[in-house]
Amino acid sequence: MRQGRDTAESTAGLVSGEAVHLEVRLARAGSRVPALLIDIVAQVMVFFLLVLVLVAFFGITGLGDAASSQASYIIALVLTTVGYPTLLLVLTRGRSLGKLAMGLRVVRDDGGPITLRQSLTRALVGATLEWPGLLLIVNWAVSLVVLTGSPRGKRLADVVAGTIVIHDRTPQGWGWVPTTPPPLARWASTLDLTGLDDELALAARHFLARSRGLSEPYRTRLGHALATEIAACVTPAPPPDTPGWAYLAGVIGERHRRASQRLARDRASHAMLWPELFAPVPAPAPAGSVLAGTAPRDLAPFFPGQPNGPATDPRTLRPATPA
């Protein structure tokens, strides 16, 4: 129960502008405080650099006096606390130097990239309410309480600007490639994949790898759309009662197998000319000898080539567990 609550508190469901539910990892104080410290060091360096530039400018132009020195500090302070973070977040689409180092990103509440308005609002609130001179320690303590107490990990500037900070990096790997289920190996070997482009194949592969993290009914709709689009450019049609996940895995697995065979042939021909540059690698497994993992046994049939066929079971498009 505790682990489930921690997982729920570290993630958030966002609804994008296309009405799609997205699961993102929220950034908490443990990652945001180190990012803030890095940003503080960067801003201090920018502040002193701007002061030196402004003082040198006033000295060259012959305007160097007490008033110009004070103006240099004020201008440098405003540019450092407001202009620098605003410009940096806009240009990097929500990543300051500290957030870039910690793998974080500032986005809107709906998951979209922040605009100049949100970036400027965050900088103004931070400069006026979270960096107030003599009350620095007090306001930092209040900001930390707000950050840790917010369900979505928001500080005061995030609340006013309508933004959140998420983890831009995820621990999930993309190395898994679905393999053809053995019952579909004979059918997969007869596929004509010339009409299947790289972009559509990559979309299907990513869907199979991440479908367990997608919420219903969007997972089913996306899977049905991908399968229907692939069925329109791949022949022949799948055998009757083929589950949706098996159809997608069969097509992508067969495509990967053929690409591996072509690569092995190319390496073999090149190794004949330069054997010292090509270490021997195991040959790709023939069709029907690879396993797709343990497939669920309660999957309803899904026919991507029949848009007017029976309704798709939401469990249909759940891929097999990667081996």
Side-chain angles (χ1 to χ4, degrees), residues 4 18-20 55 98 107 110 118 123 127 129 148 153 156 185 220 254 257 269 272 283-285 313 318:
E18 293 77 20
V20 177
V55 169
V107 297
D110 62 354
Q118 281 101 18
L129 299 180
T148 56
L156 187 58
T220 300
E254 177 64 17
R257 187 186 69 83
S269 61
M272 295 178 62
D313 191 317
R318 184 178 303 166

Side-chain angles (χ1 to χ4, degrees), residues 37-292:
L37 295 178
I38 295 175
D39 288 333
I40 290 175
V41 174
Q43 285 180 279
V44 170
M45 295 175 63
V46 170
F47 172 77
F48 284 110
L49 180 61
L50 288 175
V51 169
L52 292 177
V53 171
L54 291 173
V55 169
F57 171 78
F58 287 126
I60 295 175
T61 57
L63 302 176
D65 54 13
S68 63
S69 299
Q70 295 179 358
S72 299
Y73 285 105
I74 295 175
I75 294 173
L77 183 62
V78 173
L79 292 178
T80 301
T81 58
V82 179
Y84 169 76
T86 299
L87 183 63
L88 190 61
L89 288 182
V90 171
L91 294 179
T92 61
R93 300 175 66 87
R95 291 185 295 181
S96 62
L97 294 180
K99 290 178 175 60
L100 181 62
M102 298 302 298
L104 308 179
R105 182 189 294 271
V106 182
V107 297
R108 300 196 308 261
D109 283 339
D110 62 354
I114 63 173
T115 61
L116 178 62
R117 179 176 62 84
Q118 281 101 18
S119 181
L120 180 60
T121 302
R122 293 181 90 257
L124 289 175
V125 173
T128 56
L129 299 180
E130 297 178 339
W131 297 80
L134 297 177
L135 298 179
L136 180 63
I137 298 178
V138 175
N139 281 348
W140 275 33
V142 174
S143 299
L144 184 60
V145 172
V146 173
L147 175 62
T148 56
S150 173
R152 307 185 80 183
K154 288 192 172 193
R155 56 180 252 226
L156 187 58
D158 293 317
V159 175
V160 177
T163 58
I164 58 174
V165 180
I166 64 174
H167 284 274
D168 198 25
R169 305 169 188 164
T170 58
Q172 183 178 8
W174 289 97
W176 176 67
V177 178
T179 53
T180 304
L184 298 179
R186 185 182 300 274
W187 163 79
S189 63
T190 65
L191 288 176
D192 180 8
L193 302 177
T194 54
L196 181 60
D197 56 50
D198 295 338
E199 183 177 355
L200 182 56
L202 183 62
R205 173 187 169 185
H206 284 187
F207 170 76
L208 289 172
R210 302 185 63 181
S211 62
R212 293 187 183 274
L214 302 176
S215 58
E216 292 292 353
Y218 307 101
R219 175 175 59 189
T220 300
R221 294 177 184 175
L222 179 58
H224 188 281
L226 285 171
T228 302
E229 190 174 354
I230 289 178
C233 59
V234 173
T235 56
D241 299 334
T242 300
W245 68 266
Y247 173 73
L248 293 177
V251 173
I252 303 305
E254 177 64 17
R255 189 175 187 270
H256 176 69
R257 187 186 69 83
R258 296 180 186 180
S260 299
Q261 286 185 336
R262 289 194 299 269
L263 179 61
R265 289 195 298 267
D266 293 341
R267 289 181 61 92
S269 61
H270 295 164
M272 295 178 62
L273 300 176
W274 301 285
E276 65 278 2
L277 299 181
F278 293 90
V281 295
S289 64
V290 292
L291 298 178

Side-chain angles (χ1 to χ4, degrees), residues 11-24:
T11 60
L14 305 181
V15 180
S16 68
E18 293 77 20
V20 177
H21 285 264
L22 305 173
E23 293 293 333
V24 297

